[in-house]
Amino acid sequence: MLIQGVARDLTKRGIKAIEAFGDAKAEDPSGEDQGCLAPADFFLSVGFKTVRPHPRYPRLRLELRTALSWKSDVEYALEKLLGSMSPESLLRPVRPVRPATRSMTRPMTRQPAR
């Protein structure tokens, strides 16, 4: 969501792509984080492509047009899959339908007092 927000904002400003350096070895064998860069796998998982390979710090690039169209494609697929259901309709409890009774189908009339 963070990358999508950045992509949307930068596209409005006329920027065409984002480049970043990722850390291909974000953890050393002991499990401790050795740097302050985001893992290259994270960038790759959100749509970045490697433009300059490096054993430790590859340079990655995200074409913003691709990032935004990817989001549109996913939204379209979800809408098609779920139909026109909204989150509100999914959370709303379903009330059982009661069979109509005679008094509900005819207008009520007062009986004269005897």
Side-chain angles (χ1 to χ4, degrees):
M1 289 173 43
L2 175 65
I3 298 297
Q4 290 295 327
V6 169
R8 190 174 15 262
D9 184 53
L10 292 176
T11 300
K12 290 176 188 174
R13 298 173 187 221
I15 307 294
K16 305 235 186 265
I18 303 170
E19 287 195 350
F21 288 96
D23 190 345
K25 299 176 185 177
E27 291 186 3
D28 71 2
S30 69
E32 293 182 30
D33 188 357
Q34 296 296 311
C36 61
L37 296 177
D41 289 341
F42 164 75
F43 289 116
L44 294 170
S45 72
V46 296
F48 281 75
K49 305 289 182 209
T50 303
V51 292
R52 177 162 280 169
H54 186 273
R56 179 69 193 250
Y57 303 112
R59 187 170 56 149
L60 305 136
R61 181 180 179 96
L62 177 67
E63 298 291 334
L64 296 180
R65 208 178 18 208
T66 304
L68 294 176
S69 67
W70 175 84
K71 182 182 179 215
S72 306
D73 293 344
V74 169
E75 287 173 347
Y76 174 75
L78 285 173
E79 185 177 316
K80 191 171 182 180
L81 179 67
L82 299 174
S84 61
M85 291 190 289
S86 66
E88 294 82 19
S89 69
L90 294 173
L91 297 175
R92 198 173 27 221
V94 177
R95 293 186 203 162
V97 177
R98 293 183 184 164
T101 62
R102 189 175 208 187
S103 63
M104 295 175 108
T105 57
R106 280 198 256 163
M108 292 185 66
T109 58
R110 265 189 138 174
Q111 298 290 331
R114 293 185 190 191

